[in-house]
Amino acid sequence: MDDAPSRLPAALPALRAKASAAGFTMSCEVRTGSLLAALAAARPAGRILELGTGVGEGTAWLLAGMDRSARLMTVELNAAVQAVAQEHLGEDPRVTFVTGDGGTWLETYDGDPFDLVFADTWPGKFTHLDRALDLVAPGGTYLIDDLDPQPGWPEGHEASVARLSAELEARADFRSVRLAWASGLLMAVRATP
């Protein structure tokens, strides 16, 4: 079976070209993107959080799956990188861009929980994990990627990935599944009371 997505977000080619020109190599893998679109589509009027906008490839996938009533908040530390996403996706009224440190944002956010949290950066994954999980609504989904070895991983990072996976799988309030697919994913769904 060919698992390459057959439907791509309209903005994806332009975002890829800008990422390549800027030397940005940490964009969302296309199979992960297709899963994001499907998860977003499963949440009519959903509230979605993306930690790590990058140039907006994951953002484009999320928007492609969202209905008109759904809302996406996406947080990115690097303003220059996020500017690419804003240039191509900023006209969409469903998305709110936040430029700043994801860890600080997680520490200070006091709004409603989210139906889907995609943590595509260190804050919300390797730091501030508990806070990110607190923001997942009952029945909501938490998704992380890049758990298979990646170029540029710091020394000893494989042990951090193993600890993270074990910690998520041990939680009684989430049901987790590891996916040896795309860049290596882990999806956790918050149990409902």
Side-chain angles (χ1 to χ4, degrees):
M1 176 174 63
D2 181 5
D3 64 354
S6 58
R7 293 176 18 190
L8 303 176
L12 201 59
L15 293 170
R16 284 182 175 168
K18 293 274 179 115
S20 178
F24 185 80
T25 61
M26 296 304 296
S27 288
C28 176
E29 198 269 344
V30 294
R31 290 174 297 166
T32 301
S34 67
L35 177 60
L36 287 172
L39 291 171
R43 298 295 182 171
R47 294 181 36 78
I48 300 170
L49 172 63
E50 178 185 37
L51 297 166
T53 312
V55 297
E57 290 187 41
T59 310
W61 283 104
L62 288 164
L63 289 168
M66 291 165 48
D67 69 11
R68 289 185 202 173
S69 300
R71 295 295 175 259
L72 168 63
M73 185 169 299
T74 183
V75 182
E76 172 62 45
L77 176 63
N78 186 325
V81 170
Q82 191 182 58
V84 174
Q86 290 175 322
E87 175 188 346
H88 293 278
L89 305 170
E91 295 295 319
D92 192 318
R94 300 172 299 165
V95 63
T96 300
F97 291 93
V98 176
T99 306
D101 179 76
T104 301
W105 185 89
L106 285 165
E107 291 168 1
T108 59
Y109 176 77
D110 65 352
D112 292 331
F114 296 90
D115 301 301
L116 172 60
V117 173
F118 175 46
D120 194 21
T121 189
W122 286 64
K125 188 180 343 186
F126 295 106
T127 69
H128 302 85
L129 175 63
D130 287 337
R131 180 63 182 137
L133 294 175
D134 286 345
L135 294 179
V136 179
T141 302
Y142 170 83
L143 181 71
I144 53 177
D145 65 348
D146 300 333
L147 299 178
D148 286 342
Q150 304 290 313
W153 266 16
E155 177 113 9
H157 189 60
E158 288 184 36
S160 297
V161 169
R163 276 192 302 275
L164 173 64
S165 295
E167 183 176 344
L168 285 164
E169 290 174 343
R171 291 186 66 116
D173 54 342
F174 281 85
R175 181 69 181 194
S176 297
V177 60
R178 284 190 269 176
L179 303 167
W181 178 72
S183 63
L185 308 174
L186 189 146
M187 184 169 61
V189 176
R190 180 180 283 283
T192 55

